[in-house]
Amino acid sequence: MIIKKLRVYLYYLLINIFHNFIKFTIFVLPFVIGSPKKFNSSRLPLIKKMIKKHFKKKINVLEVGTHYGLGSTQTIINNIPKNSSFTCLDMWSHRIITKYDYLLPFLNTIVNTADKKNINIIKSSSRFMSSLKKNSYDLIYIDASHFYDDVSKDIANAKKLATKNFAIICGDDCELPTSKENYKIAKTLVKNKKDQYKINGKIFHPGVYVAVHDQLKNVVIKNGFWYSVVKN
């Protein structure tokens, strides 16, 4: 009888240990996955240059899709004029890899960032953009999805949120330069509804490329980073 009870006790003890191990792994995993090495650091100076060129006074910034708060997030926050406002919009969850939430790693990153007094955090999908105040943001960085429908909707919403007279809408993952040939290639690939492809050994996101060119004019593209000056 005692041996049987002991076995039951050990059984539940092992289950409890395993359960806590899983919880710990889920918490730690976001800190391990998503290393800064995954970011194309060569694009960050382009973001900095664009900000320094176009914005001299305090501005309102919206970033849609911030992930861990590294890469573009850090670059934007550290280079926008003093007293600017920076709003982060993200689900902070990655259902493709595993069911974990990476809001805590994001907060850990942000807490060590300059000018953090004016950082606003909204935990929601990009659909929340339609709830934000129109004509309110001078700079909008879009990096929430790579699929055409999503990116197209995000840019359409961004144009409504952009301040009148002058604003910049920008983003990442637009790897090919503007041309009719590249647009035709991307348009064909979009129909397959895949996130990305490889062209000449390099990753290409056709959904982003087509959405950007369908929604915006005079798009500047360099090394995957893209932006467009919007004048409503």
Side-chain angles (χ1 to χ4, degrees), residues 102-115:
Y102 49 85
L103 177 57
L104 287 176
F106 166 77
L107 294 174
N108 182 63
T109 302
I110 286 297
V111 78
N112 296 313
T113 301
D115 196 23

Side-chain angles (χ1 to χ4, degrees), residues 30-159:
F31 290 88
V32 179
I33 297 177
S35 159
K37 293 179 183 178
K38 286 192 173 185
F39 293 100
N40 187 332
S41 60
S42 62
R43 297 175 185 175
L44 303 184
L46 302 175
I47 299 173
K48 178 180 178 180
K49 183 178 180 180
M50 180 267 295
I51 292 173
K52 296 296 184 183
K53 177 181 178 181
H54 293 285
F55 302 108
K56 307 299 181 183
K57 299 179 181 179
K58 68 177 182 177
I59 57 174
N60 291 326
V61 183
L62 172 65
E63 184 175 32
V64 183
T66 60
H67 210 155
Y68 293 101
L70 299 167
S72 59
T73 306
Q74 292 287 305
T75 302
I76 294 170
I77 291 175
N78 288 324
N79 287 284
I80 52 179
K82 187 177 180 180
N83 298 320
S84 293
S85 173
F86 186 89
T87 299
C88 308
L89 174 61
D90 201 305
M91 289 287 289
W92 283 289
S93 60
H94 202 314
R95 302 301 176 185
I96 297 175
I97 297 176
T98 185
K99 293 181 179 179
Y100 67 77
D101 186 289
Y102 49 85
L103 177 57
L104 287 176
F106 166 77
L107 294 174
N108 182 63
T109 302
I110 286 297
V111 78
N112 296 313
T113 301
D115 196 23
K116 53 183 173 288
K117 292 181 180 178
N118 296 317
I119 294 178
N120 307 302
I121 297 171
I122 303 174
K123 192 176 189 301
S124 184
S125 70
S126 61
R127 286 181 300 224
F128 190 83
M129 292 174 73
S130 60
S131 301
L132 296 172
K133 187 179 179 181
K134 292 179 175 58
N135 186 32
S136 297
Y137 296 94
D138 306 286
L139 175 62
I140 303 173
Y141 191 97
I142 297 173
D143 192 18
S145 173
H146 298 145
F147 293 101
Y148 174 80
D149 289 342
D150 297 333
V151 181
S152 187
K153 288 176 183 176
D154 289 347
I155 295 176
N157 282 324
K159 288 192 289 187

Side-chain angles (χ1 to χ4, degrees), residues 128-230:
F128 190 83
M129 292 174 73
S130 60
S131 301
L132 296 172
K133 187 179 179 181
K134 292 179 175 58
N135 186 32
S136 297
Y137 296 94
D138 306 286
L139 175 62
I140 303 173
Y141 191 97
I142 297 173
D143 192 18
S145 173
H146 298 145
F147 293 101
Y148 174 80
D149 289 342
D150 297 333
V151 181
S152 187
K153 288 176 183 176
D154 289 347
I155 295 176
N157 282 324
K159 288 192 289 187
K160 297 175 184 177
L161 298 175
T163 51
K164 291 182 178 180
N165 300 323
F166 185 91
I168 287 180
I169 298 175
C170 59
D172 207 345
D173 302 312
C174 197
E175 294 85 1
L176 297 182
T178 300
S179 73
K180 291 182 179 180
E181 183 181 352
N182 287 336
Y183 181 85
K184 186 177 180 180
I185 293 171
K187 191 77 172 178
T188 302
L189 295 175
V190 162
K191 295 177 182 178
N192 298 326
K193 297 186 180 299
K194 284 183 65 176
D195 179 288
Q196 62 186 35
Y197 294 82
K198 275 195 173 182
I199 295 181
N200 297 325
K202 295 183 179 180
I203 292 176
F204 173 55
H205 298 84
V208 177
Y209 186 91
V210 177
V212 167
H213 287 85
D214 282 355
Q215 288 286 341
L216 298 167
K217 298 178 181 179
N218 301 318
V219 181
V220 176
I221 300 175
K222 190 171 183 179
N223 201 25
F225 171 65
W226 60 269
Y227 78 89
S228 176
V229 174
V230 178

